[in-house]
Amino acid sequence: MVGDVVIAESAGDRDSGADVPELLTPLTEPLRFGVYTGVQVDSPAQQEIPAAARLGLEPPRFCGQCGRRMIVQVVPDGWTARCSRHGRVDSTFLGRR
């Protein structure tokens, strides 16, 4: 697929104990932006989370790392979301599928 980031690691990297940096995904903690509003988390503005999102029925629409609008596809058994900068995440990431 176009835009997906694939990082290959060799067996030597795993065994050597090399410190491999953690990849940032749209939902990796700590979040800098609200995933339902796109507003900075540190912002003094009130961040209202939609009722459907509180019930777990609404997928995240904004990347939690950069605040960009994500491409979201809802399917019968879950959802997938893709940020142009931070890659793809789906509902299995949150254990909701």
Side-chain angles (χ1 to χ4, degrees), residues 9-96:
E9 66 177 1
S10 66
D13 290 342
R14 286 189 302 255
D15 296 335
S16 67
D19 192 17
V20 178
E22 182 180 332
L23 293 177
L24 289 178
T25 66
L27 301 180
T28 302
E29 297 286 339
L31 299 175
R32 294 176 34 206
F33 293 86
V35 295
Y36 301 109
T37 61
V39 177
Q40 272 192 327
V41 173
D42 299 342
S43 170
Q46 181 68 18
Q47 294 186 26
E48 182 65 29
I49 297 174
R54 286 194 304 262
L55 294 171
L57 302 173
E58 183 72 18
R61 302 289 179 170
F62 296 89
C63 177
Q65 302 304 319
C66 63
R68 286 183 173 84
R69 184 99 166 137
M70 294 194 293
I71 299 170
V72 178
Q73 181 176 11
V74 178
V75 293
D77 64 342
W79 51 263
T80 60
R82 184 172 52 94
C83 172
S84 62
R85 302 293 188 263
H86 295 101
R88 176 190 303 250
V89 66
D90 63 18
S91 54
T92 58
F93 182 78
L94 299 177
R96 294 184 181 166

